[in-house]
């Protein structure tokens, strides 16, 4: 969200899913949408069947990449070098959209100077992608009438995550592939309602509706008037900074709602130590997660998708109604009820507002949601923000203003953001020669707390996936248990030989922490702009283990 908000003022994808079906070129960059966003991938396939050309930029030849016309097998962590080289090639070939650049952007000359050193030859050396393939993508993207770049955690789970996103946004600005139907820049959110959480202000420096808590005095005044309290104009901490504060003794109590950081944080051993050291840990969740097991107080919550009323927001900014179908079991309660009860017992009696009443308060304070009454959400099957009033149909795509000829209507220009490539923090060495990247599989979700409760014929449990070449070099067989070692920890895992992996690249998931706690290996290095840890780039070595230890691990 930070990259899009920095350039355009709002942290939402610029296009609708429908537009993916009606574009000419799709770039999936760091996204295995076939397995991690399967519903969205159906829209991609419709676009492909209608003639769109599909490019996949990914270190692995994933199931998504196998549908692509061209797969760019990039080395992990070299995305900025590739994006900058594409930008340089577009400029060198005279394919940039000069009219759009001059009318709707700023900082082009600084961007041109930044990308100049990223020749095709240098980019091939850094990224591992052949120069002719880089040139092909650059020309195809610039010449396409309509083009979409879609990305997900393969771009954002790096120590320079926001810079990665800015490098992709630069390409959209360079070619004018933003602000028009069929052309856009779209993050595919990593979890359900991530977009909605950000929209509601679950960002350290934002009030609901992406209103800046430090810089927007008028927004603060409206919230103060509605809430009857002072809004301190100071940004809070993001998750990674919270763990830093725990380590320094500055944060002694934590209230966790619907999150499982004991297993989902990088360097999980450190995360658990810090959680154990808190004076008071409260966890509010639908299941007894690994984090809940560490808590002093557990508040059992209702399942938001079937045991409560409310709304959910998708990656295309579509707000939809959620309707209660079942009563929560036992002592589980709706999140809204729990929070209102906590407020009452802390001296602030809010009563017990309904979900619609809470939503109407939000609409009164967030201009981009103002026109989204429950009645209209029901009648229209969801509405895409911004929707400023009840006569507005919602916004299929964003930033059309950038194409207005009238400067007053065009508003603030979109700035180019010169960014330089940096290699991953966890360097490869003779001691740790293999690059481990992490991700998800189709059959499972995140830390497996929910998805491991049922069986799936697609599921095989946790493995370390290695290329055939690395398995041969290390003398390893399919199913053999090995020791995987990083600079922070080690785990035992069975080998799976995966022909989609190139030599020197390994893959694991976070789905089975009780079996193999992958995040004991990952590095806590994080992006200072977004707080995201570098889950995608860990340096490891793989060791054979004695048969007795392997047998114990498998029992």
């Amino acid at each position: 969200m930070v990259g899009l908000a920095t350039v355009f003022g709002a942290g939402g994808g610029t296009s609708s899913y429908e537009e993916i079906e009606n574009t000419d070129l799709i770039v999936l960059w760091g996204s295995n949408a076939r397995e991690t966003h399967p519903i969205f991938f159906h829209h991609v396939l419709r676009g492909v069947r209608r003639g769109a050309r599909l490019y996949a930029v990914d270190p692995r030849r994933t199931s998504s990449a196998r549908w692509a016309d061209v797969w760019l097998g990039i080395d992990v962590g070299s995305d900025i070098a590739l994006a900058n080289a594409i930008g340089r090639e577009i400029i060198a070939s005279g394919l940039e959209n000069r009219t759009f650049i001059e009318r709707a952007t700023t900082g082009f000359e600084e961007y041109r100077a930044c990308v100049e050193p990223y020749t095709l030859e240098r980019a091939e050396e850094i990224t591992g992608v052949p120069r002719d393939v880089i040139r092909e993508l650059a020309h195809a993207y610039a010449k396409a009438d309509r083009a979409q770049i879609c990305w997900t955690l393969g771009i954002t789970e790096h120590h320079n995550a926001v810079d990665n996103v800015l490098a992709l946004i630069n390409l959209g600005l360079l070619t004018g592939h933003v602000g028009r139907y069929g052309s856009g820049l779209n993050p595919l959110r990593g979890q359900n309602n991530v977009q909605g959480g950000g929209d509601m202000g679950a960002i350290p420096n934002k009030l609901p509706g992406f209103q800046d808590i430090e810089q927007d005095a008028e927004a603060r005044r409206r919230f103060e008037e509605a809430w009857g309290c002072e809004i301190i104009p100071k940004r809070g901490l993001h998750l990674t900074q919270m763990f830093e504060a725990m380590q320094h003794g500055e944060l002694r109590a934590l209230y966790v709602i619907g999150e499982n950081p004991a297993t989902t944080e990088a360097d999980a051993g450190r995360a658990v130590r810090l959680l154990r050291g808190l004076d008071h840990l409260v966890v509010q969740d639908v299941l007894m997660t690994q984090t809940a097991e560490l808590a002093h107080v557990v508040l059992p919550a209702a399942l938001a998708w079937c045991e409560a009323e409310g709304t959910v927001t998708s990656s295309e900014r579509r707000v939809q109604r959620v309707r209660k179908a079942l009563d929560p079991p036992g002592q589980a309660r709706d999140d809204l009820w729990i929070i209102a009860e906590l407020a009452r017992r802390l001296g602030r009696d809010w009563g017990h507002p309904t979900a619609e009443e809470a939503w109407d308060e939000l609409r009164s304070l967030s201009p981009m949601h103002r026109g989204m009454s429950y009645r209209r959400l029901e009648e229209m099957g969801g509405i895409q923000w911004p929707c400023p009033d009840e006569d507005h149909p919602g916004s299929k795509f964003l930033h059309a203003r950038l194409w207005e000829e009238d400067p007053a209507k065009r508003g603030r220009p979109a700035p180019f953001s010169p960014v330089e490539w940096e290699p991953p923090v966890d360097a490869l060495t003779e001691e740790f020669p293999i690059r481990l990247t992490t991700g998800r599989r189709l059959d499972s979700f995140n830390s497996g707390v929910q998805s491991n409760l049922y069986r799936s014929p697609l599921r095989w449990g946790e493995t370390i996936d290695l290329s055939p070449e690395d398995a041969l070099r290390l003398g390893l067989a399919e199913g053999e248990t090995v020791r995987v070692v990083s600079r922070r920890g080690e785990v035992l895992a069975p080998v799976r030989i995966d022909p989609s992996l190139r030599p020197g690249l390994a893959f694991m998931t976070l789905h089975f922490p009780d079996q193999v706690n992958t995040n004991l290996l990952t590095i806590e290095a994080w992006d200072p702009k977004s707080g995201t840890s570098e889950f995608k780039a860990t340096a490891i070595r793989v060791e054979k283990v004695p048969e007795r230890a392997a047998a114990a691990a498998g029992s």
Side-chain angles (χ1 to χ4, degrees):
M1 293 186 186
V2 178
L4 286 163
T6 298
V7 177
F8 299 114
T14 69
S15 304
S16 304
Y17 295 161
E18 166 196 313
E19 295 173 65
I20 302 297
E21 303 176 18
N22 296 295
T23 192
D24 301 307
L25 184 143
I26 304 166
V27 183
L28 287 180
W29 199 312
S31 168
N32 183 16
R34 170 67 184 83
E35 297 193 37
T36 59
H37 296 87
I39 304 302
F40 171 79
F41 197 69
H42 286 300
H43 297 279
V44 173
L45 292 180
R46 289 192 189 104
V48 169
R49 290 180 183 126
R50 292 177 179 179
R53 192 161 176 82
L54 176 61
Y55 288 81
V57 182
D58 201 295
R60 301 184 297 138
R61 192 171 185 271
T62 63
S63 56
S64 303
R66 287 194 280 273
W67 284 91
D69 294 282
V70 179
W71 168 53
L72 288 78
I74 191 172
D75 288 344
V76 174
S78 60
D79 304 275
I80 289 174
L82 178 60
N84 282 356
I86 291 171
R88 182 191 185 279
E89 175 62 20
I90 289 170
I91 295 169
S93 302
L95 298 175
E96 73 274 22
N97 190 322
R98 295 295 304 191
T99 301
F100 181 80
I101 291 169
E102 291 169 3
R103 185 165 59 188
T105 74
T106 59
F108 171 70
E109 292 302 328
E110 292 82 357
Y111 172 71
R112 184 213 297 265
C114 172
V115 301
E116 179 58 32
Y118 291 88
T119 62
L120 295 175
E121 293 75 19
R122 184 184 177 210
E124 178 176 350
E125 180 181 337
I126 294 172
T127 69
V129 179
R131 65 195 73 177
D132 290 343
V133 178
I134 301 174
R135 180 187 292 111
E136 177 187 336
L137 175 53
H139 284 245
Y141 180 70
K143 292 176 181 177
D145 180 47
R146 297 167 296 180
Q148 299 276 353
I149 297 180
C150 305
W151 67 89
T152 188
L153 304 181
I155 280 290
T156 56
E157 288 187 341
H158 289 275
H159 78 281
N160 52 354
V162 173
D163 286 354
N164 283 345
V165 172
L166 293 173
L168 302 187
I169 294 173
N170 287 336
L171 298 180
L173 299 180
L174 185 63
T175 55
H177 283 315
V178 66
R180 297 186 292 122
Y181 182 86
S183 283
L185 300 158
N186 299 295
L188 308 178
R189 299 307 184 192
Q191 298 179 51
N192 175 49
N193 208 31
V194 164
Q195 184 67 56
D199 297 350
M200 295 303 107
I203 302 174
N205 65 327
K206 299 295 182 182
L207 294 162
F210 295 103
Q211 299 171 92
D212 195 283
I213 198 168
E214 294 179 311
Q215 299 176 12
D216 193 337
E218 174 56 26
R220 289 199 309 274
R221 184 197 63 75
R222 292 198 308 273
F223 279 89
E224 288 174 341
E225 191 174 287
W227 291 351
C229 65
E230 180 186 2
I231 304 295
I232 300 172
K234 180 181 179 182
R235 70 169 54 219
L237 304 178
H238 54 60
L239 182 59
T240 310
Q241 288 171 325
M242 292 181 198
F243 276 91
E244 296 282 323
M246 289 182 221
Q247 185 165 351
H248 297 128
E250 298 164 358
L251 192 158
R252 303 302 309 151
L254 193 67
Y255 181 14
V256 180
I257 305 177
E259 188 84 6
N260 189 20
T263 58
T264 59
E265 277 297 282
D267 194 357
R270 168 181 175 268
V272 170
R273 288 194 301 273
L274 293 173
L275 290 169
R276 287 187 189 279
L278 290 169
D279 295 336
H280 193 57
L281 174 60
V282 179
V283 173
Q284 182 171 318
D285 215 316
V286 300
L287 292 167
M288 197 67 176
T289 66
Q290 292 88 342
T291 306
E293 290 173 355
L294 302 174
H296 299 93
V297 176
V298 177
L299 301 173
L303 284 165
W305 63 271
C306 66
E307 296 172 351
E309 297 286 334
T311 60
V312 65
T313 307
S314 72
S315 295
E316 65 168 353
R317 297 168 284 102
R318 185 180 300 279
V319 180
Q320 295 171 278
R321 282 278 285 112
V322 176
R323 301 164 190 83
K324 181 178 178 179
L326 302 168
D327 289 327
Q331 296 182 345
R333 296 290 184 271
D334 185 347
D335 291 307
L336 189 59
W337 185 93
I338 295 172
I339 293 169
E341 275 298 299
L342 279 175
R344 183 178 67 81
R345 299 177 196 203
L346 290 169
R348 290 281 184 171
D349 192 350
W350 301 341
H352 280 285
T354 65
E356 184 173 8
E357 288 169 342
W359 178 254
D360 284 342
E361 179 187 276
L362 175 278
R363 290 199 300 129
S364 73
L365 295 169
S366 171
M368 72 185 202
H369 293 98
R370 192 155 289 150
M372 297 185 183
S373 66
Y374 264 33
R375 177 186 60 81
R376 296 191 76 217
L377 291 175
E378 296 273 7
E379 291 174 353
M380 299 173 67
I383 303 173
Q384 291 168 277
W385 63 254
C387 179
D389 59 62
E390 295 203 28
D391 294 321
H392 195 282
S395 303
K396 190 165 287 186
F397 60 92
L398 299 182
H399 315 309
R401 64 175 180 81
L402 294 174
W403 292 90
E404 293 282 355
E405 293 190 11
D406 183 348
K409 293 181 179 179
R410 197 160 59 237
R412 183 177 74 92
F416 281 91
S417 306
V419 290
E420 297 285 356
W421 167 72
E422 295 177 354
V425 173
D426 210 11
L428 298 178
T429 62
E430 288 187 9
E431 185 180 5
F432 299 101
I434 295 176
R435 177 64 71 200
L436 171 67
T437 194
T438 61
R440 298 175 183 166
R441 298 195 185 109
L442 177 62
D443 62 275
S444 298
F445 183 71
N446 274 17
S447 61
V449 173
Q450 298 176 75
S451 54
N452 288 345
L453 294 176
Y454 60 86
R455 299 183 201 172
S456 167
L458 303 176
R459 187 175 300 149
W460 59 76
E462 192 53 73
T463 57
I464 177 162
D465 297 358
L466 297 172
S467 70
E469 295 86 350
D470 284 335
L472 180 64
R473 177 177 59 83
L474 295 168
L476 302 175
E478 179 88 12
E480 178 179 351
T481 297
V482 296
R483 180 177 288 106
V484 186
V485 185
S486 77
R487 292 179 172 93
R488 288 150 298 283
E490 60 183 58
V491 297
L492 296 176
V495 169
R496 177 174 174 267
I497 299 174
D498 184 353
S500 75
L501 293 172
R502 296 171 293 140
L505 181 65
F507 177 78
M508 297 179 75
T509 79
L510 314 177
H511 299 322
F512 308 97
D514 293 335
Q515 176 189 351
V516 179
N517 194 349
T518 302
N519 267 339
L520 291 174
L521 305 171
T522 51
I523 187 170
E524 74 280 5
W526 49 278
D527 178 21
K529 297 176 184 176
S530 69
T532 307
S533 294
E534 194 156 60
F535 293 98
K536 298 301 183 189
T538 300
I540 63 166
R541 66 173 180 268
V542 177
E543 302 174 345
K544 292 181 76 71
V545 299
E547 290 185 12
R548 183 178 300 175
S555 61

